[in-house]
Structures are given as structure tokens and as C-alpha cells.
Amino acid sequence: MKLYNSIGPNPHAVRMFLAEKGIEIPKVPVDLMKGENREATHLARNPAGQLPALELDDGTFISEITAICEYVEELHPNPPLIGTTPKERAETRMWARRVDLNIIEPLAGGFRNAEGLPIFTGRIPVEPEIAAGLKRIAQNRQLWFDKMMQGRQWICGNRFTYADILLYCFLNFGQVVGQQINPEAMWIKAWIERVKARPSASV
Amino acid sequence: MKLYNSIGPNPHAVRMFLAEKGIEIPKVPVDLMKGENREATHLARNPAGQLPALELDDGTFISEITAICEYVEELHPNPPLIGTTPKERAETRMWARRVDLNIIEPLAGGFRNAEGLPIFTGRIPVEPEIAAGLKRIAQNRQLWFDKMMQGRQWICGNRFTYADILLYCFLNFGQVVGQQINPEAMWIKAWIERVKARPSASV
């Protein structure tokens, strides 16, 4: 396996997942800022033009971080980060999709259509007038998430999972691009420090 | 197992998935229009207040359609709708997340913040000024998707999968609420007729 890697929260999530598993694979840098990901060489790996992409030994490419991490978990089940039973896996996947649709997508959309405009214009459709509303939704959904998490150590209770990795990498990215943790999200504030303390967080 | 069911594209996707599997389970209707999903009884099943929710025999609830369908596939692997190998499953999950983030989320957000305002106001944060931009993005992403699909019967080639079900149920919903199939998306136009011809599509 080989990981086509770059800056940004999506590759960060895969690197963190691999680090939690104790797996080291070759990483090939692709320069997002220069638009290398939109050139023919990378489009042959991932026609969506995004990063990261995982190249398997038979030359197949897998994109989209959830698919990559599920694949890695199937080949290397320990330590489990999705789950060891159908019910555990369902719980992780449920929270991962909630994070994806409610927090990540408005946060990332808020960035792409505002601070990210110089990078994304001409690469994907951009709509500057939606940025502020999306950012407000992402902030509000942090509180919604926070309320459901009271009393839990990790998103799935005692299990540290892919859902924690996903949320952490995007909230961390949000802070870098001006979308702070909602000051009223007290659970998230404490939880993010717990995640940050893991050696995998800084890879 | 028991499915808490309603109108809308999310429950439709689970019903279609179960129909493709040939599985019949009891369905308990929850009235979205009356807001029953935001009342304490349903919030105890799914604190996110959304539908559908799957109740397991031990009383556990699973929400989020991807998690529900993956769970059903693990218990009832045939016919496979996610995949029979780690690589097949990765391919399905890759396309499902692309559909989720690029097409479903802007389409659904376009609805929630425009035609859906009478339903969603007071339930979730709404931002009317983002609706038009999100609808334009959903339309554009149909063309992006269409381009990648040339020559394929289904999204994952010869395999009819959860990714087809997901995209079909939301594009079908989009048509009902004024978001038509992009007239230039020729592959999608032909594909949607192939999906519609399956008996499972009308459940």
C-alpha cells in the first residue's frame, strides 16, 4: 500500500488512523497549493481530484477517507477503530456519518467558499454567499453534538474510534482557518484536549 | 429488528436496501410533518431526531442510513449490496461518500433552506440565503458525477450497490421538490431509468 498525501484535514485523518494502528506505509506528497491534484497524473489515481488516495499493491486506487480507513481496518483489525462486532461497527458508522454531514460538510463548505476561494476557484464550483450561513450551521451543530456527548469519554463511549479521528481532524483544521470551537461546547473543548494528547494526533 | 419509518429519501433508501435483500421487518410509522420525530418518544430512539431508526432485538437503536445498511449487510450478506471482498466494499463506500458529500448534502441543504423551511424552521438551524447556491452546486456535481460514470451500468460497474440506492433515492426526492436531473447529465438520465425499473425502487 502507498498513500498519496497532502496538507488538509482529510489526509490528516488517514495518517492518524494509520498511526493508531501502528502501520507505516510509503507516503507520496502531492502539492495541493500548486494544484498538482487537478493534473492528469493525479486524476488517473482519483478522478475526483481529491486527496488522499490509497494505492493498493495491485494498482487499484481507493479514495474517500472513510473507505480507506474501513479497508485498512479489514486488513489490520487490531487495535479496532471501527469495531469488533456488527453492532460496534454500526455505532461508529452512525456517528461518523453524523460528523460528516452535520459538522464537517458545513465547516469545509464555509472554508471553501470564503478563506479557501483562492485555492478552489476554477477547481470546483464556489458560491461565496453560502459561506457565512454554513459556518453558522457548523457552529450550531457543535452544540447539538456536544449535548449528545455528555458523560462520554469518546464519541462511542469507552471506545476511541474513527469517529473521534474524523471530528478531531476537521475541528483542528477549522481552528487553523478561523472557525473556532464553539465556546459553549464544553464537552468538545475537554474532549479535543484528550484527543490531542494521543501521539497519533500530531502525525 | 424493527424500522421506524417515515416519508423522505433517507427511509426510502433503507426500505429499498431491505427489498433488494428480500428482508421484511416490521415498520413503525413516525409522522415527520407533525414533528413526531422531535418529540421525546423518538428522541429516545435517536437523539438526533431524524428518521429512519433501526431497533435491534436487544433494544439498541441504530440511526444513519449507511450504518443501518452496513449492519443489515453484515447479518444478511446475500445478495451483496456493499461487497464481498474488502476491495469491493471499499469501492462501494468510496462512491457512497462521494454521493453523500457532493450531491446529497447540497441537494438536501437546498431543500431544507428553501421549500423545506416550513418543516425545518425551529427544528434545525436554517439559513435561507444558502439555498440557491447549494442547489447550483448539487446540479454541477451531477455533471461531475456523470462524467466519471461513462460506460458503466451501475456506479460500481457491474455491481448494483448501496451507492446506486443512495443516489437514486435522493435524486428521486430532488425531482419531487423542484430539483430536476441536470438536463446535461446524460448518464444519470439513462441510469435512473434502469434503477427505477427494479421492483425495489417503489417500496
Side-chain angles (χ1 to χ4, degrees), chain B residues 15 18 20 28-29 63 69 73 92 98 102 130 141 144 153 158 170 176 179 184 186 195 202:
Chain B
R15 291 195 307 272
L18 291 169
E20 286 282 340
V28 182
S63 304
C69 292
E73 175 107 347
T92 307
R98 284 176 177 163
N102 291 280
I130 72 178
R141 297 290 87 183
W144 162 84
Q153 184 182 14
N158 293 324
F170 277 84
V176 174
Q179 294 186 57
E184 294 170 50
M186 301 305 291
V195 183
S202 58

Side-chain angles (χ1 to χ4, degrees), chain A residues 10 38 45-50 56 58 60-68 70-71 74-75 85-87 89-91 93-95 97-98 100-102 104-106 112-113 123-127 129-134 136-137 140-141 144 148 162 166 170, chain B residues 10 38 45-50 56 58 60-68 70-71 74-75 85-87 89-91 93-95 97-98 100-102 104-106 112-113 123-127 129-134 136-137 140-141 144 148 162 166 170:
Chain A
N10 281 293
R38 302 283 162 180
R45 297 173 198 132
N46 177 7
Q50 296 166 328
L56 310 187
D58 70 359
T60 305
F61 288 97
I62 305 172
S63 304
E64 297 299 331
I65 58 175
T66 302
I68 292 173
E70 290 259 12
Y71 180 84
E74 291 203 34
L75 267 59
T85 64
K87 205 161 82 173
R89 288 189 283 274
E91 187 189 22
R93 290 168 181 152
M94 172 176 77
W95 286 107
R97 192 167 187 258
R98 285 177 176 163
D100 252 357
L101 299 185
N102 291 280
I104 288 181
E105 200 43 29
R112 284 194 297 264
N113 294 288
R123 295 189 191 179
I124 56 167
V126 289
E127 299 283 351
E129 84 281 11
I130 71 177
L134 287 175
R136 284 192 295 271
I137 290 174
N140 172 284
R141 296 290 86 183
W144 163 85
M148 291 191 282
Y162 174 67
L166 189 65
F170 277 84
Chain B
N10 282 292
R38 302 284 162 181
R45 297 173 198 132
N46 177 8
Q50 295 167 327
L56 309 187
D58 71 357
T60 306
F61 287 96
I62 306 171
S63 304
E64 297 300 329
I65 57 176
T66 303
I68 292 172
E70 290 260 12
Y71 180 83
E74 291 203 33
L75 266 59
T85 64
K87 207 162 80 174
R89 288 190 284 273
E91 188 189 22
R93 290 167 181 152
M94 172 177 76
W95 285 109
R97 192 167 187 258
R98 284 176 177 163
D100 252 358
L101 298 185
N102 291 280
I104 288 182
E105 201 41 30
R112 285 194 295 266
N113 294 288
R123 296 188 191 179
I124 58 166
V126 290
E127 300 282 352
E129 85 281 13
I130 72 178
L134 287 176
R136 284 192 294 271
I137 289 174
N140 173 285
R141 297 290 87 183
W144 162 84
M148 292 191 282
Y162 174 66
L166 189 64
F170 277 84

Side-chain angles (χ1 to χ4, degrees), chain B residues 57 72 78 82 92 113 117 122 130 165:
Chain B
D57 295 338
V72 170
N78 289 305
I82 311 284
T92 307
N113 294 288
L117 282 172
I130 72 178
I165 293 175

